[in-house]
Amino acid sequence: MSAPEAQGMDSWVLAEMVDQIVAEGGIDSVTVVRNGQVVLATPVYPFPDGTPHALQSVTKSVVATLIGIVIDRGLLEGVDVPVVEVLAEAAPDSIDALKASMTVEDLLTMQSGLECRDSSRYRWEGLDEWQTGEDWAANILAIPMAAEPGTRFEYCNGVSYLLSAVISQSTGMTAAEFATETLFGPLGISEVIWPSSPEGISVGYAMLELLPTDMAKIGQLYLQGGTWDGEQVVSSQWIDAATTDHHPNATPGYGYQWWVESTEWIVARGFGGQYIFLIPSLDTVVVFTAGLPMNRANLPHRLVTKYILAATQPDPLPPDDEGNARLEEAVAAARQGPAPTVPYLPAAATSVNGVRYESDPNEWGHQWFRLEFDADMAHLTFARDFAYMTDDPRSSTILAMLGYQDLDEPIDVAIGLDGRYIINESLGLTTGWRGEWTTETTFEAEAQSIGRQAHERFTYRFTFDKDTAHVRVGEVTPGVVQESTAQSST
């Protein structure tokens, strides 16, 4: 790593940014690279260092890069090739003229012409339609056309999946395998998680997981015109095309699976706050990973505007030992998290300790739970009915791809009561849990998935009479509050 001042960045301003990240919450890591040198790279509690993070739709930008490498190597003639020619086996038997004219470039620029409804704009309803069965590519290509390809922007997860299928068909490898050989390998990226669909195609629209510092390498590759350690990994012509706005009348603009958001920066972005900011004029890459709700998704933009642009000067700055120490202090606090607090256990904690409560039927599957309290931690055992998900073939497949295991077994987790998370392994996932009594009769437990966007909060409101304790259990997710009553079964 380099001292920020040596690269023309102010340590004091970067420290202020880290302080704000900690104060606002939701950011899992921040990485800043200036002039090819890392000046800041820190996880934020409870996200641990050295852990891959879900990229969500930043995956799309990686897939687009791989398409460029495929073309550079002569394995695909170019972006003007019709998609149905490359994916002939998945194409419908009867193809109309509009679909036949859809090119690889139309997919890259999100101008496929497909009547696609699988993005957040439609609450992802279209994913349920094409992520069924064993041939997702065929399902996507069967979607009706709504416009002439190349004439209308419609953000579509399905077209990014088709791009991954194009890579597989052109190379004889999955996108993950091809990336290991041609992109990840040259960049020294080895910590990779990238599931494949039932038909053996790397999921091209999301699900890729990388280290935040490796995300920054991909950004730096773009700033360096596609070169890395003297090797031309992807052509400079592709870099230029991928980061050029192909929608000059739209705001923000869009290149080849990269957002051309302003004159200041080009962005790979994913749901929940995953970002690779390219700032060519400053020779700077900024990476955020996060678990932000949709109403706070602009936090990384605010941080870049307020701090990164303000911290960066054209030339090196004088050494600043005090500023470096201040930044190190801020980073240490971000990594360590809050100091432990003294847990508070009201009388209700004794009354409900070890009691099993049965929940009324509810949409989010909470069946029963039991809380047991010690001096500094709680143990929560609960069962969730995943049948409403696993009975659906698409949901069952996705849960398996994401690593969920033993869905029918009760979940037992330890919860920190001192303001700090206890890390648990459950359902094949790593999750931090902490909780507190917010009133004399209300206990709240917070679950934070490590490296993914899942964040849940369980609220237990107890009311007592002479015979039993009654409880209202509410699970809170971004923008959604659901409640169910429960009663003791003992």
Side-chain angles (χ1 to χ4, degrees), residues 330-481:
V331 167
R335 289 170 173 261
Q336 294 169 4
T341 58
V342 177
Y344 171 67
L345 296 179
T350 301
S351 300
V352 305
N353 192 51
V355 178
R356 173 168 164 152
Y357 293 93
E358 305 285 342
S359 297
D360 290 343
N362 55 83
E363 294 182 357
W364 40 275
H366 204 133
Q367 293 180 303
W368 61 265
F369 71 90
R370 179 174 59 247
L371 282 163
E372 300 171 276
F373 293 95
D374 295 328
D376 58 355
M377 73 171 63
H379 291 275
L380 169 65
T381 305
F382 65 102
R384 298 181 76 173
D385 179 11
F386 285 91
Y388 69 101
M389 300 174 71
T390 55
D391 286 348
D392 171 48
R394 182 254 168 180
S395 294
S396 179
T397 299
I398 298 302
L399 287 171
M401 289 166 56
L402 289 173
Y404 284 81
Q405 301 169 5
D406 301 324
L407 295 178
D408 294 330
E409 296 297 320
I411 300 165
D412 184 48
V413 295
I415 303 174
L417 297 180
D418 60 357
R420 295 181 59 83
Y421 291 97
I422 293 178
I423 304 301
N424 293 264
E425 298 287 341
S426 58
L427 297 179
L429 301 176
T430 303
T431 309
W433 286 76
R434 65 182 177 184
E436 63 175 335
W437 287 90
T438 56
T439 74
E440 291 294 310
T441 56
T442 302
F443 181 72
E444 295 191 1
E446 177 186 3
Q448 175 65 58
S449 178
I450 303 300
R452 293 180 178 168
Q453 281 60 63
H455 182 275
E456 294 181 306
R457 193 174 188 91
F458 300 91
T459 302
Y460 304 88
R461 301 182 182 93
F462 297 91
T463 57
F464 300 89
D465 59 32
K466 65 179 181 179
D467 298 318
T468 187
H470 303 272
V471 62
R472 293 186 65 81
V473 184
E475 177 184 353
V476 182
T477 55
V480 178
V481 178

Side-chain angles (χ1 to χ4, degrees), residues 20 50 60 135-136 144 153 191 198 267 284 311 367 408 423 426 435 447 469:
Q20 182 167 346
K60 296 176 171 69
D135 197 341
W136 293 1
F153 179 87
E191 294 288 330
V267 177
T284 299
Q367 293 180 303
D408 294 330
I423 304 301
S426 58

Side-chain angles (χ1 to χ4, degrees), residues 293-313:
M294 293 182 70
N295 63 355
R296 296 181 59 222
N298 69 336
L299 176 57
H301 290 83
R302 291 193 285 116
L303 294 170
V304 169
T305 300
K306 183 176 181 179
Y307 297 107
I308 299 299
L309 299 185
T312 309
Q313 304 299 320

